[in-house]
C-alpha cells in the first residue's frame, strides 16, 4: 500500500499541502488528493504579517482532486494527511470524510495534521485523549473535543503526527513519513 490520502478543499493552505505532497513522492509513496467532489480546488497562502493580529490570505496554486470523499476506499491507503487553511472548517461535516477519518485512527495507520487540519479529526471524535500541535487559534477546537494542545513544532502521539503551521513542515512531515515507511516495511 503506497497510496496516501491528502485531504483538501477550497482555501486549503498551499504550503501545508504541497510540501508533504512532494515529500511523499520522494519517499516512494503516491499522494492521492481527496476532497468533497472531483474538480480543481483553489489553495491559499496564509501569513500573519508584521503589525497584523489576524491571518492575511492570498490566492495560491490550484490542485485537482483525484478521488472524492464518497469514492474513497480507505483500506487501500497507507495513511492520511489533514492539511490546514480554512477548508477543514467547512469540509469537516462531510459524512464520508468522517468515515474515512475514523478508519485511520481505528486502524492505527499513520495520520498527519497541521494547522486547521485538526478540525477534521476533532469533529470526527478522534482526538479525545490525544496530544497534538495545531495553530494557537485552533487550541479550543482540539481541547473542547478532548485533546491536549502542545505548542511544539512536532508532536507524536502514537500514529498521530502533528505540527502547528507550515513553518513546522520540516519538523513533523519527516517523522510522519518515517511511520509510513515503517508500516510499508512491515507489510513487505
Amino acid at each position: 500500500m503506497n497510496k496516501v490520502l491528502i485531504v483538501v478543499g477550497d482555501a486549503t493552505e498551499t504550503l501545508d499541502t504541497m510540501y508533504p505532497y512532494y515529500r511523499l513522492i520522494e519517499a516512494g509513496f503516491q499522494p492521492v488528493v481527496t476532497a468533497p467532489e472531483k474538480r480543481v480546488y483553489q489553495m491559499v497562502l496564509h501569513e500573519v504579517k508584521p503589525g497584523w493580529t489576524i491571518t492575511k490570505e492570498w490566492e495560491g496554486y490550484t490542485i485537482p482532486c483525484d478521488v472524492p470523499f464518497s469514492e474513497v476506499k480507505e483500506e487501500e491507503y497507507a495513511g492520511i494527511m489533514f492539511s490546514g487553511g480554512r477548508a477543514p472548517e467547512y469540509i469537516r461535516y462531510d459524512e464520508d470524510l468522517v468515515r474515512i477519518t475514523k478508519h485511520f485512527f481505528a486502524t492505527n495507520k499513520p495520520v498527519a495534521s497541521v494547522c486547521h487540519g485538526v478540525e477534521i479529526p476533532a469533529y470526527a471524535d478522534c482526538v479525545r485523549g490525544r496530544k497534538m500541535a495545531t495553530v494557537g487559534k485552533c487550541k479550543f477546537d482540539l481541547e473542547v473535543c478532548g485533546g491536549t494542545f502542545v505548542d511544539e513544532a512536532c508532536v507524536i502521539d502514537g500514529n498521530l503526527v502533528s505540527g502547528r503551521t507550515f513553518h513546522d513542515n520540516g519538523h513533523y512531515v519527516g517523522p510522519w513519513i518515517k511511520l509510513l515507511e515503517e508500516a510499508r516495511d512491515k507489510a513487505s
Side-chain angles (χ1 to χ4, degrees):
M1 289 199 313
N2 280 331
K3 298 190 298 183
V4 178
L5 287 172
I6 297 181
V7 178
V8 305
D10 281 321
T12 290
E13 214 288 328
T14 301
L15 286 174
D16 287 355
T17 306
M18 300 312 293
Y19 183 85
Y21 182 96
Y22 289 115
R23 287 291 316 278
L24 285 168
I25 293 171
E26 288 175 354
F29 291 96
Q30 177 188 349
V32 177
V33 175
T34 187
E37 59 188 69
K38 193 169 174 115
R39 65 173 174 84
V40 175
Y41 287 82
Q42 178 64 57
M43 294 189 289
V44 297
L45 302 171
H46 280 166
E47 186 67 87
V48 178
K49 291 180 66 167
W52 284 53
T53 57
I54 62 170
T55 303
K56 180 158 174 50
E57 181 175 280
W58 301 266
E59 282 189 13
Y61 294 112
T62 59
I63 192 166
C65 170
D66 297 310
V67 60
F69 298 151
S70 63
E71 296 177 20
V72 169
K73 294 180 175 88
E74 51 272 19
E75 64 278 355
E76 296 178 359
Y77 297 89
I80 193 167
M81 195 277 172
F82 299 106
S83 191
R86 288 183 297 118
E89 178 184 345
Y90 297 93
I91 63 176
R92 64 182 160 182
Y93 306 110
D94 185 286
E95 291 178 13
D96 289 305
L97 180 56
V98 170
R99 168 186 52 82
I100 294 163
T101 302
K102 287 180 181 245
H103 167 83
F104 285 92
F105 281 87
T107 58
N108 209 35
K109 292 180 182 177
V111 173
S113 178
V114 64
C115 204
H116 284 74
V118 69
E119 294 172 325
I120 298 167
Y123 179 76
D125 195 25
C126 295
V127 300
R128 192 171 310 281
R130 305 298 293 266
K131 293 178 184 171
M132 289 183 75
T134 184
V135 66
K137 61 186 156 189
C138 288
K139 176 182 177 183
F140 175 79
D141 299 83
L142 173 61
E143 291 180 342
V144 77
C145 293
T148 301
F149 173 74
V150 180
D151 188 12
E152 293 179 8
C154 176
V155 176
I156 302 171
D157 186 343
N159 67 317
L160 175 60
V161 182
S162 54
R164 297 168 296 197
T165 69
F166 67 83
H167 296 284
D168 296 338
N169 282 349
H171 300 280
Y172 83 92
V173 174
W176 172 61
I177 288 176
K178 184 177 180 192
L179 288 178
L180 288 165
E181 290 170 335
E182 288 170 359
R184 179 175 59 190
D185 292 345
K186 279 184 186 176
S188 297

